[in-house]
Amino acid sequence: MTTEEAPPKAGRKEWAGLAALALATLMITFDMFALLLALPDITADLKPTTIEQLWILDIYGFMVGGFLITMGTLGDRIGRRRLLMIGAACFAVASLLCAFAPTTELLIAGRALLGIAGSTLAPSTLALITNMFRDPKQMGVAIGIWAGGFTLGSILGPVLGGVMLSHFWWGSVFLFAVPVMALLLVVCPLVVPEFKNPEAGKIDLASSLLSIVAMIAFIYGLKEVARHGWQAVPIVVGLIGIALGVVFARRQLHLAEPFMDLRLFNNRSFSTMLMGLVLYSLIGGSSMFYITQYLQSVSGMTPLKAALCLLPGMVVATFSATISPLLGQRIRPAYLIAGGIAGIIIPFAMFSQLDVDSSPVVIIVAFAIMGLCEGPLLALGTNLVVSSAPPEKAGSSSSLTQVANEAGGSFGIAVMGSIGASVYVAQLDDTVPAGLTGDAVATARENVASALTVASDLPAQLGGQLSTAAKAAFTSGMNTFATICVVILVIAAVLIAVLLRHVPPTGSEEMGETGEQETAEAPPATATLADQADARPAT
C-alpha cells in the first residue's frame, strides 16, 4: 500500500485571497436585502406599476439562475479569476446604473445586468477556493468562511441599508458595491492565482443557450405560480423550461466535450449532498416567506423591525458556518449534517404550534436555532459537492450548488406557498365576517396583507373581525407548512446519515486500519477525496 503525498498547505497569500473572495459573496446578499428596504422609496420616486415592481425584484434572480451553469463552465475554460474580475467590473457598473436610474425601465435593466454579473461571483469564488486550498481541512474551513459571507451580507444589508436610506436617496444602497468591487479588482490579481482547465474544449453555444433559456423559463414559471397560483401561462413556461432542460441533458450525454459533465452525478457524495441542498433550500426559502409575513402581517411589525428580529439568527448562522468545518474534522459529515438537520426540526415544530397571539420572541429564538443547526449542511455539504469533482471541473460543480439553491428556493416558495395559501383560503372562507362585499372578500382571499388592507378601510368592528380571521387563517397555513417541513427534514436526515456514513471526517486517513478496505476497488489516480471515500465499502 502506497502513501500519497500530502497536499500542500495554504499560506498567508491564500488566506488573504479568501478574504478578497468573501467580499464578493457578501455583496450578493447585501444587495438583495438592501433593495427590499429601498423598494418603498423607489416606488414613491419612480412610480412603477405593480408589474414593474415585481420585475425590479425578480429580474435579478431570473438572470442569476439562468446564467449560473454557463458562467461556471465558462470559468473552467477562460480562467476563474478572469471571469470573477469581469463579473466584478460589470457588477460595479450595474450598481452605478441602478443607483442613478432616472426611470423604472433603466432600473430594471440595471438589475438584469446585476444578475448576469452576480452569476459569475458565487461559482467563480467557490471554484477558486477549491483550487487555492488543496488540504482538505483547510478547504473545509475556507468554504465555511465563504458560506459565512452570504449570511454576513444578510446582516449588513438591512443595517447599513437602513442607515443610508435615513440620510440619502434610495440609490445610495447600490453604491456600497462600487468601492467593494473596485477593491476586489485591485487585490484579486495580487493574492488570487488564476486557474482554468488546460484541456477544455470550445464552448458549446447551443448548450449554453439551452441552459440559460431552460433555467430562466423554469424559475419564471415557479415564481409566477407562487405569486398568482396555478395559471396556464406560468405552468406552460415552466414546462417548456423542463423540456429544454431534458434536451440540454441529452445533448451533454452525446458530446465528446460536454458543456456540463453529468457523470458527476454518479458520485454518491455529490448527488446525495446536492439533493440535500435542494431540499433545504426548498424549505429555507419558503420559511423566510412565512417568517417575514408572520412578523409583519400578524405581529404588525414594519419591514425594518422584522429584519432586525432576524439579525440574531443570521449572526448565529455566520458563526455556525465558520465553526462547522472544524467540527467536521472530528465527526463524520453524515452524522454532523444529519444531526444539524435533526436540530432544524425543533424550530419547525415550534412554528407548527404558533397562534395569532404568539410572541415574536418565539420566531426570534426558532430562527436562531435554524441558523445554528444549518451550518453543517451548508458548509460541509457544499464542501462535499465541490470536492467530489476533479479540479478542472470545479467551476461546473460550484455552479450546480448555486443552481440547487436557486431552483430549490423558487420551487419551495411555489409549492409550499401554494399549500399555505390553500389552507388560508379554506379557513378564511369559513370565518370571514358577514357584511363584506364580494370584491372585499375576493381581495381578502388573495393573501393576508391584502386582507389587512381591506380591513383598514372598513368600519372598526367589521375591520377588526376580518383582520382577526385573516391572521388566524395565515397562521394555520404556516402551521401546516411547518408540519410538512418536519416530515421532509426527518426523511432528509435519515437518508444523509445512511447514504454518506462511509465518508470519513475531513482530512482523515482514507484507509482504515483493518485489511477489509484493501480489497476495495482502487479509485483512479486522479480521484478526489470524496471519490475515494465513495470507493470504500460502507462500515
Side-chain angles (χ1 to χ4, degrees), residues 354-376:
L354 285 174
D355 57 39
V356 174
D357 299 320
S358 294
S359 170
V361 175
V362 176
I363 295 288
I364 295 172
V365 172
F367 189 66
I369 296 174
M370 285 180 62
L372 178 64
C373 296
E374 71 181 12

Side-chain angles (χ1 to χ4, degrees), residues 15 18 129 133 137-148 325:
W15 290 107
L18 175 63
I129 287 172
F133 296 88
K137 292 183 179 181
Q138 289 187 326
M139 184 191 297
V141 173
I143 290 178
I145 294 173
W146 173 86

Side-chain angles (χ1 to χ4, degrees), residues 50 227 293 297 424 428 436 439-458 463 466-467 470-471 474:
T50 301
R227 182 173 290 119
Q293 287 295 304
S297 297
Y424 169 81
L428 187 65
L436 294 180
D439 289 342
V441 173
T443 302
R445 292 175 85 249
E446 291 181 3
N447 53 61
V448 63
S450 297
L452 295 179
T453 300
V454 171
S456 65
D457 296 331
L458 296 174
L466 175 59
S467 176
K471 290 179 180 180
F474 174 82

Side-chain angles (χ1 to χ4, degrees), residues 192-248:
V192 177
E194 179 64 285
F195 290 96
K196 63 181 178 179
N197 182 2
E199 299 180 357
K202 295 182 178 180
I203 296 176
D204 181 28
L205 294 180
S207 292
S208 175
L209 184 61
L210 279 171
S211 70
I212 292 171
V213 178
M215 285 299 301
I216 291 177
F218 180 64
I219 293 174
Y220 171 83
L222 289 177
K223 286 181 177 289
E224 291 301 297
V225 166
R227 182 173 290 119
H228 302 297
W230 298 92
Q231 298 181 358
V233 172
I235 291 175
V236 170
V237 173
L239 290 176
I240 290 174
I242 293 174
L244 292 175
V246 172
V247 174
F248 170 81

Side-chain angles (χ1 to χ4, degrees), residues 253-286:
L253 295 174
H254 293 88
L255 289 176
E257 291 288 338
F259 189 73
M260 171 174 288
D261 191 353
L262 299 182
R263 292 172 297 180
L264 291 172
F265 288 92
N266 293 331
N267 183 291
R268 192 198 306 175
S269 296
F270 181 91
S271 55
T272 300
M273 280 318 310
L274 201 63
M275 180 55 64
L277 291 172
V278 169
L279 286 177
Y280 187 67
S281 61
L282 183 150
I283 292 173
S286 48

Side-chain angles (χ1 to χ4, degrees), residues 419-501:
I419 292 173
S422 299
V423 175
Y424 169 81
V425 171
Q427 180 165 326
L428 187 65
D429 287 344
D430 293 336
T431 58
V432 67
L436 294 180
T437 64
D439 289 342
V441 173
T443 302
R445 292 175 85 249
E446 291 181 3
N447 53 61
V448 63
S450 297
L452 295 179
T453 300
V454 171
S456 65
D457 296 331
L458 296 174
Q461 182 176 359
L462 187 59
Q465 293 174 346
L466 175 59
S467 176
T468 300
K471 290 179 180 180
F474 174 82
T475 305
S476 294
M478 186 172 180
N479 297 153
T480 302
F481 153 76
T483 302
I484 295 172
C485 287
V486 168
V487 176
I488 294 174
L489 289 168
V490 169
I491 294 173
V494 172
L495 288 177
I496 287 176
V498 172
L499 294 177
L500 297 183
R501 68 187 185 277

